[in-house]
Amino acid sequence: MKLLNLILVNIKRQLKNPAILVMLILFPLGMLLFLNGSDNEKIEKIGIINNENSIQSEKLINNLKEQYEIRELTGKINDNLELIENNELIGIYVIPNDFENKLNKGEIPNIEVYKKEDSLDTLMSDSIMESFIKDSLKEKNSNGITDNYIKTKIEKKEISDKQNESFNVIMICYFMFMGGSIISEEIINLKNQNVLKRMITTSNTDKEILGSLFISSFLIQGILSSLSYIIVVKLLKVENSNIPLGILTIFLSSIVSTSIIIAVTRWIRNITLASLTMVLFSLIMFCLGTFNSNTDFLKNPPAIFKVGIISPFYWMLKIIETGNLIIPVIILILMSLVFFTLGSFKLRDFVKE
């Protein structure tokens, strides 16, 4: 019960610090909305995999060319999906090898479309295809069938936007690490202002006081950063986002960040140096982790990128991009235990130093 009361007291005190709210909510929100807004330039390129190369399929492609820039693709759909994921194309249409044959028989061909989400551009391209198929079928049917009796078949398959999902989550985790400098400053201030000294004169044990500082920092960072993440997802209308997985990653990041705060606070007593250490450490780990993740395709990446696996950001990205939990979660928890052990101290000795 004492531990719970101490946690609530610490949380209330931290929430009164506007710098924490700015760094964990307002700053990430502003930056992500700005960065995502600048990246969302209008794309009007459509990919076509034409498995038939018939007169009818060419006519359909020419109709689309009147409104869009068409990129004719080869190979299987799985070989080209990254063009959608990287925002190079708004969608890919797969024209089947029996397209013209079915139209000639008065049957409806089945066209597959792959895209991240329905937008004005993709809805317009769907409409162009539907109109073409309806007009072709009306020409083949001599009984004057109307549009109402023609149901086109455009099979839609949405592509998960993992790139934006990873970017949003990892940036929020990065801002959380940066915000750790504010919490480390606060703990050192508590020591300098003799607040911790007054706390240890009460019936509270060292473990309860230290535990309350750790848990309150963990909860504040995790909850506020998760709130920021959910707001970003809702405002940007990120399709197919895995919110539970994103929140899990953020809370794992909070465990590591809090452990680093404890370590920095233990070994660096100067407020300015402690804050600077948190900022530099966060920046270095962020660069190593993200660069290493983005060079997985290299056969022989530079040694510095191989070292990047020691970064918690590398393992956070693994969780978001692959959905694999066991190994990344174990490694992140072990990392937090290492930092917490480095920062573990007898509170009375820390106060007296």
Side-chain angles (χ1 to χ4, degrees):
M1 196 64 183
K2 289 181 181 179
L3 178 62
L4 181 59
N5 289 333
L6 286 173
I7 292 172
L8 292 176
V9 169
N10 287 327
I11 289 176
K12 289 179 182 178
R13 186 190 69 253
Q14 289 173 326
L15 287 176
K16 292 179 181 178
N17 186 345
I20 291 178
L21 297 176
V22 169
M23 200 64 194
L24 295 180
I25 295 184
L26 297 181
F27 190 66
L29 273 177
M31 287 297 295
L32 287 174
L33 291 175
F34 172 75
L35 292 173
N36 279 282
S38 62
D39 286 340
N40 289 335
E41 297 177 357
K42 192 172 183 180
I43 307 170
E44 294 184 348
K45 292 183 181 179
I46 292 175
I48 299 287
I49 298 178
N50 188 357
N51 290 323
E52 188 177 52
N53 293 318
S54 63
I55 295 175
Q56 290 287 1
S57 63
E58 290 299 327
K59 283 183 179 180
L60 174 58
I61 293 173
N62 289 333
N63 281 7
L64 289 168
K65 285 181 178 179
E66 294 178 3
Q67 298 292 333
Y68 301 96
E69 181 179 340
I70 301 299
R71 184 168 172 180
E72 296 195 42
L73 308 172
T74 59
K76 302 294 184 181
I77 182 62
N78 291 334
D79 300 329
N80 296 284
L81 287 179
E82 65 178 13
L83 297 173
I84 301 177
E85 295 170 355
N86 296 333
N87 293 326
E88 294 181 41
L89 300 173
I90 60 173
I92 297 176
Y93 291 87
V94 181
I95 300 176
N97 53 17
D98 59 352
F99 181 75
E100 185 174 65
N101 185 43
K102 283 200 170 184
L103 287 179
N104 290 335
K105 291 180 178 180
E107 299 176 1
I108 302 172
N110 186 34
I111 296 176
E112 293 181 349
V113 56
Y114 296 79
K115 53 189 174 182
K116 286 183 180 178
E117 59 181 323
D118 282 326
S119 64
L120 179 59
D121 285 326
T122 58
L123 290 175
M124 285 180 62
S125 58
D126 289 353
S127 178
I128 291 173
M129 286 200 165
E130 290 173 354
S131 297
F132 178 85
I133 293 172
K134 287 180 179 180
D135 290 342
S136 299
L137 290 176
K138 284 166 66 178
E139 290 176 3
K140 298 298 178 184
N141 284 278
S142 59
N143 57 356
I145 192 169
T146 63
D147 289 354
N148 295 331
Y149 292 94
I150 299 176
K151 302 297 182 183
T152 56
K153 292 181 181 179
I154 298 182
E155 186 178 342
K156 300 177 183 179
K157 298 183 179 181
E158 293 188 342
I159 308 301
S160 179
D161 195 356
K162 288 186 178 180
Q163 187 180 44
N164 285 342
E165 178 80 355
S166 301
F167 176 77
N168 291 333
V169 173
I170 210 67
M171 287 303 294
I172 286 175
C173 292
Y174 172 63
F175 292 131
M176 180 198 299
F177 270 63
M178 297 286 282
S181 61
I182 300 171
I183 297 178
S184 64
E185 288 179 15
E186 189 178 63
I187 294 175
I188 295 175
N189 277 328
L190 290 176
K191 173 180 178 289
N192 294 339
Q193 294 169 5
N194 295 322
V195 174
L196 293 180
K197 182 180 289 187
R198 290 195 296 271
M199 290 176 70
I200 63 175
T201 58
T202 63
S203 59
N204 299 313
T205 65
D206 291 4
K207 291 182 179 179
E208 288 173 339
I209 297 172
L210 182 59
S212 68
L213 289 172
F214 183 91
I215 295 173
S216 62
S217 298
F218 162 70
L219 291 176
I220 281 289
Q221 291 185 114
I223 293 172
L224 294 184
S225 295
S226 295
L227 178 62
S228 177
Y229 166 66
I230 292 172
I231 293 173
V232 167
V233 169
K234 297 301 180 182
L235 289 180
L236 295 176
K237 298 180 180 179
V238 180
E239 296 290 332
N240 306 315
S241 59
N242 192 333
I243 293 180
L245 188 64
I247 292 176
L248 173 63
T249 306
I250 288 170
F251 271 93
L252 287 170
S253 173
S254 182
I255 293 177
V256 179
S257 174
T258 305
S259 301
I260 296 170
I261 291 170
I262 296 296
V264 169
T265 304
R266 175 65 180 90
W267 293 101
I268 304 176
R269 285 55 178 274
N270 182 279
I271 292 179
T272 303
L273 287 178
S275 178
L276 184 61
T277 299
M278 282 297 301
V279 171
L280 288 177
F281 182 85
S282 301
L283 181 60
I284 292 171
M285 289 296 103
F286 176 77
C287 291
L288 285 177
T290 53
F291 287 167
N292 189 76
S293 177
N294 291 331
T295 55
D296 284 346
F297 61 90
L298 296 178
K299 293 182 179 179
N300 296 301
I304 190 170
F305 293 129
K306 295 180 181 180
V307 175
I309 62 173
I310 67 172
S311 168
F313 290 98
Y314 174 83
W315 298 105
M316 294 175 208
L317 278 170
K318 285 295 181 186
I319 293 175
I320 295 297
E321 292 176 349
T322 67
N324 295 329
L325 295 176
I326 297 177
I327 294 178
V329 168
I330 291 174
I331 291 176
L332 287 171
I333 291 176
L334 288 175
M335 283 182 178
S336 66
L337 288 175
V338 169
F339 285 115
F340 186 79
T341 302
L342 287 173
S344 60
F345 52 85
K346 289 184 178 180
L347 190 63
R348 296 175 190 276
D349 294 338
F350 174 69
V351 171
K352 292 176 183 179
E353 292 175 351

